[in-house]
Amino acid sequence: ASLSQGGVQTRVELDPHSKRFSMQLVWDESSPNVSAQKSLPPSPTLLSSTSAQPIQSPEAASSPSTNASGLREYTLEEIAKHNKENDCWVIINGQVIDATSFLKDHPGGKKPILIYAGRDASAEFNMLHKPDVIEKYAPKTIIGVVKGGEAAIAAAKPAHAESAPQHASSHQVSHVSAEGVVARAKPPSTTPSNVQSWNSGGTANVLPEERSKSTFNLEKMINYLDGGEQVTKRKRWIRSPLKDVNVEDKYFWHSPAEYMKQHVRHFIKVHEAWWDDYIPTRSDVQLMSESAALQGSLMNHYGLFLPTIATHGNVEQVMHWASRAIKMQIIGSYAQTELGHGSNVRGLQTTAVYDKSTEEFVLNTPTLQSMKWWPGTLGKIATHAVVYAQLIINGKEYGVHAFMLQLRDENHTPLSGIELGDLGPKLGDHANDTGYMRLKDVRIPRDYLLSKYQSVTPEGEYVVTEAKKKNSKLHYTTMIYTRGSMIKTAGNYLARAVTIATRYSCVRRQGFINSKDADSYKSEERKIIDYQVQRYRIFRQMALAYAIRFTGDWMKKQFNEMEGGQEKIGTNEERLVNIDALPDIAATSAGLKALSTFLASQGIEDCRKCCGGNGYLLSSGVAAIAADYVWQTTAEGDWIILMLQTARMLVRSLQSAAQGHVAEGPLDYLAPLKEKGFRLDRVPVLCVDTLSLIHISEPTRLRRI
């Protein structure tokens, strides 16, 4: 409605749906009554909600400026005052949102919004939603913009929260040898020099000279191995918090408890500055794992627990659990393996029986063999777990499903019916609290079943999505992806060991160059890298490291294609866009994981031996790698069992190809088998340049040679 009187035009707008009431007073400059008055800007929009006051707050009324689009501008100080349930504003990508009336309708409940009341919620919002969702579905909640825009928001954040690829020095990790670390004697002081002396081995020039002999551009090689210049930049940014970290004292820590303590301390200091502003992708998590100075328990949280929620949880579950997990407000474990069952996931004996009278699942590990056994983070640190159990409704079995379970209370004490413990000292990997769990009549709400692909109604009806009808093994995806990621990890661990062995072999000298003419013990000796056998041993492992790494990149590409390129681990976006590829990927990743981890563990041990007696010292680095890595040959399935799983798939594919049915993809090389009278000696030989980059980095090309 509009009314003009006395030179003043009054415009009133009322929207009953959004309960928004606005008024504008405009002075007509042509009116004689106001010819001497200056035109005043319109008054601020007057807002109301179900429980808010009927007029706008005075502080908002004091900021009447608008931007070029006509939206009102509010300072961060003004927005911060609207931080209550009955007056809730949030900032989303520079826009000011009045979420008061929307709280009760939010699918994830009001709490995820209220924790950002009066503050910037952009990072949390962008993690879960597409950028245009507000304009599309709730445009009337947009009441203005932040005065000063993104620059003002960024300026208000502490330095460590900025997203620039540099870390503020004030948040660098402190030296790990703090309180609690066992004191030790200082090592002999050394002075780098090219000449032997009391404090120098005379080898300062050796490695620089060896590196100068390279025939390729080092930076280009790094970019190629990483997958491009931008990936290298991101990798260096991810690694930047570690530049001042020194953890050499770790070889003198006296117990697994000390390893655990230092790992948690180190991990939190590295990550806490970024929880509010940084959402890692799966590639980022792998880069973090490769770069970690202290491998340990909390890596399971980001690598297994969080991806499982994102992959198997529905929208509400992801909003509730993933947002808290990213910020380490909860710490999770992936509880699948049992004392009596590992590779045979279908045979797990933990049960989840639905009680429709209370709309709860009752979890039990009824036998000794059914106790959860080996999950990392479970023994001491985890507050929650994704538990794999047999779903039973009205006595009918529905197979293995994933359930969310809180393990410990606010005092970190196990909840009623839950028995937890650490398995004790291991050969290596001491900072990982590998644990066990027993459950007795533990009740959880019905919506704690991760329900992206299936759900249970209050009445006990089991409902599945079309995706699960197409492939009933979707709950295996976390395990399959983990196996796939372990392939590249194997190459990286082997590369570390090869690097140590190579450097040692260049510095270490043994045997006179000319033994016949060596008339003095001071005669020049030969670098052990110059011995043919030593070179063969090291270069063989180096070649394997490259081969495994490239194979890991190829495997990752297969996952990305199956998931449609989705990499964020904290979102509920549909991932499995090509479900048909899952069986082949499962079998391929199983065999490659088994072969890669076996070759890597054997290669790391040989690199240790290449360092002679010094390789037995933990301070060499290579001895610790050997002890800390070897468990991966049996993790997520024993390597022999997984090799047989892949072999079974190959035999079936061979039989199918002989009958004229050849699958596309990795097995298309079997196509000649469909020809009648096939003979191997008649298959044309392919002549390729096996040393070209494209063939070195593409395993599917090498298989044809």
Side-chain angles (χ1 to χ4, degrees):
S2 179
L3 175 66
S4 295
Q5 185 176 6
V8 180
Q9 185 180 42
T10 305
R11 298 173 185 165
V12 179
E13 294 183 6
L14 176 63
D15 188 337
H17 299 290
S18 64
K19 300 182 181 179
R20 174 177 293 179
F21 173 81
S22 64
M23 176 183 291
Q24 289 184 334
L25 303 177
V26 182
W27 277 262
D28 185 355
E29 292 285 358
S30 62
S31 172
N33 296 329
V34 293
S35 59
Q37 300 182 39
K38 294 182 178 179
S39 177
L40 298 178
S43 62
T45 302
L46 302 178
L47 302 176
S48 176
S49 66
T50 55
S51 56
Q53 296 298 322
I55 60 174
Q56 198 174 27
S57 58
E59 63 268 20
S62 65
S63 179
S65 61
T66 60
N67 67 359
S69 302
L71 290 172
R72 300 192 180 283
E73 295 182 325
Y74 298 98
T75 66
L76 294 174
E77 292 76 12
E78 292 167 341
I79 298 168
K81 296 177 181 178
H82 299 266
N83 58 6
K84 301 178 180 62
E85 184 172 346
N86 64 351
D87 183 17
C88 177
W89 292 9
V90 292
I91 301 170
I92 303 293
N93 299 325
Q95 294 180 322
V96 182
I97 310 298
D98 181 6
T100 310
S101 60
F102 179 66
L103 292 175
K104 66 180 186 301
D105 300 319
H106 185 232
K110 61 187 177 181
K111 187 175 180 180
I113 298 179
L114 285 175
I115 61 176
Y116 287 96
R119 299 193 297 127
D120 182 19
S122 301
E124 186 89 359
F125 177 87
N126 293 331
M127 177 180 69
L128 302 170
H129 304 290
K130 294 181 178 180
D132 62 347
V133 68
I134 295 180
E135 288 85 349
K136 189 173 181 180
Y137 296 106
K140 294 179 181 179
T141 62
I142 304 172
I143 62 173
V145 296
V146 177
K147 191 171 185 177
E150 296 292 341
I153 299 173
K157 293 182 179 180
H160 65 264
E162 296 177 1
S163 57
Q166 290 184 352
H167 293 254
S169 59
S170 61
H171 292 277
Q172 296 300 330
V173 181
S174 60
H175 196 287
V176 178
S177 57
E179 57 180 279
V181 178
V182 178
R184 65 182 180 91
K186 292 184 178 180
S189 60
T190 57
T191 305
S193 172
N194 298 338
V195 180
Q196 288 193 55
S197 67
W198 181 258
N199 289 325
S200 176
T203 60
N205 63 318
V206 174
L207 292 182
E209 286 179 358
E210 293 289 344
R211 290 173 180 138
S212 68
K213 298 176 184 177
S214 64
T215 59
F216 56 87
N217 183 293
L218 179 61
E219 188 65 18
K220 288 184 178 179
M221 176 63 83
I222 292 172
N223 293 340
Y224 182 80
L225 292 175
D226 290 339
E229 184 178 353
Q230 295 303 314
V231 181
T232 298
K233 289 181 179 179
R234 190 166 186 85
K235 180 181 73 174
R236 288 171 175 166
W237 170 68
I238 287 174
R239 289 181 175 177
S240 60
L242 304 177
K243 64 182 180 181
D244 296 326
V245 174
N246 186 335
V247 292
E248 63 181 17
D249 280 340
K250 67 182 180 180
Y251 301 122
F252 295 87
W253 295 341
H254 64 286
S255 68
E258 185 62 39
Y259 272 92
M260 182 85 58
K261 169 185 170 184
Q262 296 299 337
H263 162 72
V264 172
R265 177 173 174 268
H266 167 83
F267 191 96
I268 291 177
K269 278 188 171 290
V270 168
H271 292 83
E272 65 180 344
W274 303 90
W275 288 334
D276 290 335
D277 300 273
Y278 169 55
I279 303 170
T281 64
R282 278 182 164 173
S283 294
D284 290 345
V285 171
Q286 181 138 16
L287 286 174
M288 293 175 193
S289 298
E290 295 171 8
S291 309
L294 284 176
Q295 300 271 352
S297 179
L298 291 177
M299 299 177 73
N300 299 301
H301 173 80
Y302 279 121
L304 289 170
F305 177 72
L306 185 52
T308 302
I309 296 173
T311 303
H312 297 286
N314 60 30
V315 175
E316 293 80 6
Q317 290 169 334
V318 171
M319 292 178 70
H320 182 69
W321 297 110
S323 59
R324 298 166 65 193
I326 286 176
K327 297 180 181 181
M328 300 291 286
Q329 294 171 349
I330 61 173
I331 299 173
S333 175
Y334 179 79
Q336 174 178 293
T337 303
E338 297 176 354
L339 178 60
H341 291 85
S343 301
N344 183 17
V345 178
R346 287 196 304 166
L348 294 179
Q349 295 180 358
T350 303
T351 60
V353 179
Y354 182 63
D355 182 354
K356 63 182 178 182
S357 66
T358 60
E359 295 188 30
E360 293 174 319
F361 293 104
V362 184
L363 301 181
N364 277 284
T365 53
T367 66
L368 184 68
Q369 289 196 21
S370 67
M371 78 165 77
K372 294 301 179 183
W373 188 264
W374 275 116
T377 320
L378 187 63
K380 298 180 182 299
I381 296 179
T383 62
H384 292 69
V386 171
V387 179
Y388 281 76
Q390 300 285 353
L391 173 61
I392 301 174
I393 305 174
N394 295 326
K396 182 179 179 181
E397 298 178 10
Y398 288 87
V400 175
H401 290 68
F403 299 83
M404 181 63 68
L405 174 65
Q406 181 175 347
L407 305 176
R408 295 176 168 97
D409 61 18
E410 63 275 9
N411 297 315
H412 213 63
T413 302
L415 297 177
S416 177
I418 302 177
E419 179 185 337
L420 300 168
D422 189 279
L423 297 187
K426 306 183 292 291
L427 178 65
D429 197 32
H430 300 305
N432 196 346
D433 55 331
T434 310
Y436 73 87
M437 174 173 64
R438 306 184 77 174
L439 305 172
K440 187 172 183 179
D441 296 331
V442 178
R443 290 179 172 267
I444 58 174
R446 179 175 56 88
D447 57 5
Y448 276 33
L449 165 68
L450 295 185
S451 304
K452 184 171 185 176
Y453 297 111
Q454 70 285 304
S455 61
V456 176
T457 67
E459 296 75 23
E461 180 185 358
Y462 183 70
V463 181
V464 298
T465 63
E466 290 300 320
K468 184 153 187 177
K469 289 179 181 178
K470 195 171 184 180
N471 193 318
S472 62
K473 298 182 179 180
L474 291 176
H475 53 277
Y476 293 141
T477 51
T478 298
M479 181 180 66
I480 293 170
Y481 183 85
T482 302
R483 289 174 178 171
S485 65
M486 292 173 74
I487 300 169
K488 187 173 182 178
T489 299
N492 291 327
Y493 269 92
L494 180 55
R496 291 185 189 181
V498 168
T499 300
I500 295 172
T502 302
R503 291 175 178 173
Y504 178 82
S505 298
C506 291
V507 173
R508 175 75 167 178
R509 290 177 180 269
Q510 194 78 5
F512 296 118
I513 293 179
N514 190 339
S515 59
K516 292 183 179 180
D517 298 333
D519 53 1
S520 171
Y521 70 89
K522 295 182 180 179
S523 298
E524 186 176 3
E525 293 187 87
R526 191 186 305 274
K527 298 175 183 177
I528 64 174
I529 192 67
D530 292 335
Y531 287 98
Q532 185 176 5
V533 172
Q534 184 79 351
R535 278 205 308 273
Y536 170 77
R537 293 172 68 187
I538 292 177
F539 289 177
R540 179 176 182 270
Q541 303 305 333
M542 186 182 299
L544 276 174
Y546 277 110
I548 295 172
R549 183 186 175 99
F550 287 135
T551 302
D553 288 336
W554 175 84
M555 193 73 249
K556 175 186 171 185
K557 182 180 177 182
Q558 307 311 304
F559 277 107
N560 286 344
E561 290 177 356
M562 181 180 70
E563 296 182 337
Q566 299 297 328
E567 276 217 330
K568 287 187 177 180
I569 63 172
T571 71
N572 188 257
E573 296 180 31
E574 181 55 54
R575 294 180 179 275
L576 300 179
V577 298
N578 183 15
I579 296 179
D580 293 338
L582 186 59
D584 285 346
I585 286 180
T588 304
S589 63
L592 289 177
K593 179 268 174 186
L595 180 62
S596 299
T597 54
F598 174 76
L599 291 176
S601 63
Q602 296 294 307
I604 292 169
E605 174 62 15
D606 196 35
C607 287
R608 187 193 66 77
K609 293 173 180 174
C610 283
C611 296
N614 290 311
Y616 193 66
L617 289 171
L618 286 176
S619 57
S620 70
V622 68
I625 292 175
D628 289 342
Y629 180 76
V630 69
W631 64 271
Q632 297 204 29
T633 58
T634 50
E636 300 300 330
D638 177 75
W639 77 284
I640 291 294
I641 300 299
L642 295 186
M643 292 279 275
L644 290 173
Q645 179 179 331
T646 302
R648 181 174 59 182
M649 182 269 289
L650 289 173
V651 170
R652 288 177 178 174
S653 299
L654 182 68
Q655 295 171 342
S656 179
Q659 297 172 4
H661 308 291
V662 180
E664 297 180 358
L667 297 175
D668 60 0
Y669 68 93
L670 296 174
L673 291 174
K674 67 181 179 181
E675 301 296 334
K676 190 174 181 179
F678 166 79
R679 286 177 53 182
L680 185 61
D681 58 354
R682 294 180 181 177
V683 177
V685 178
L686 296 178
C687 296
V688 297
D689 179 6
T690 57
L691 296 182
S692 68
L693 288 179
I694 190 170
H695 284 91
I696 289 176
S697 61
E698 286 290 339
T700 54
R701 295 177 184 270
L702 290 174
R703 75 185 179 205
R704 298 177 180 274
I705 299 173

